[in-house]
Amino acid sequence: MKYTIKNIARYVEGAMEEREQSYFEDAVAIDPALREEMEFYLDKRSTLRMNMWPDPKKGELVDTLEQMNEKYFSEKGGILSPIKRLLGRKK
Amino acid sequence: MDTTNLHDDQYYVYALLVNDRTGIEEIYSRFSGKVKSFIIKNRGTVAEAAAIFKETLTELFLLTKYKNLELTCPLEPVLLLLCQRKWIKSKEEKEKLFAGVNEDIKKTVAYIEEKIKDSERYKSILSTFTPRCKELIETTFSAGDLDALAKNWKIMPDYMRGKRAECMASLINTAELLKEE
């Protein structure tokens, strides 16, 4: 049987019945092209997952990055900032 | 990507993954300066440089978490090129940034950019799908309760899994067809 992306999707998304699943797994074991298609499907699935829904860990990281941004990208920062401030005052 | 020879800078990528402040601070102290000067030299502001740096680090986090990004080259040129290419709008100028760059670094940057672009493309294609397809896929990826959704829609969970497979296959087919055009 020639498997398509629809069959792969049915397998990965848990929509196959037990017997169909077993036939499919046998086919994957012996068919490198099907294995490649399966990897392709899983790759696209994780691509879709990656940037689509809020990830609490991403939120925590963004908090850290914002704090670091304040420290390293501050307009007031830099070694010369005290001198610049003094010069600014003289004006 | 060839991940047989992991670079020591993979440490920084893991630091992003686990939100390790020490490692992240090191990324900032070592690499943020060059990004800042590049963007300022190219008519940007410090705030814009900060935003680009943060966005790029967040993308590296996502790629590490969902695509197992593994560095086989140093992080500095990768990070710098990603930020520079994000800032520069002209295609030609973007290409020029690759001049003289080591093949491994070029491949890594291209891989990261492609995956991010792909992810945005998939997101935009999904937005044109039926509300049911969207809800089904969103519930799946947000670890929501599919059985509860099936109950709400008054359909059997098995039928729902079949529908989800249909939506996913159709999304991937559409995305690949549009890519070829």
Side-chain angles (χ1 to χ4, degrees), chain B residues 82-151:
Chain B
L82 285 170
C83 293
Q84 289 173 333
R85 284 167 58 84
K86 225 185 251 287
W87 180 250
I88 296 289
K89 299 287 171 243
S90 133
K91 220 174 173 183
E92 276 175 21
E93 292 297 315
K94 270 184 204 268
E95 272 314 297
K96 271 188 198 163
L97 290 168
F98 271 152
V101 171
N102 159 305
E103 215 35 55
D104 199 10
I105 294 167
K106 215 192 285 185
K107 262 191 200 164
T108 307
V109 171
Y111 171 84
I112 294 170
E113 286 178 344
E114 191 211 310
K115 294 295 169 195
I116 295 298
K117 207 172 147 196
D118 228 16
S119 159
E120 282 156 9
R121 212 161 53 82
Y122 270 66
K123 187 178 176 177
S124 119
I125 293 168
L126 183 64
S127 70
T128 66
F129 274 44
T130 63
R132 282 219 160 181
C133 252
K134 274 191 276 181
E135 192 176 357
L136 194 46
I137 294 179
E138 281 171 10
T139 307
T140 300
F141 288 123
S142 59
D145 188 348
L146 274 181
D147 287 345
L149 190 63
K151 212 171 171 182

Side-chain angles (χ1 to χ4, degrees), chain A residues 80-91:
Chain A
L80 296 175
S81 59
I83 302 167
K84 281 180 191 166
R85 273 200 297 275
L86 270 176
L87 289 172
R89 252 182 241 157
K90 276 180 189 170
K91 279 178 192 171

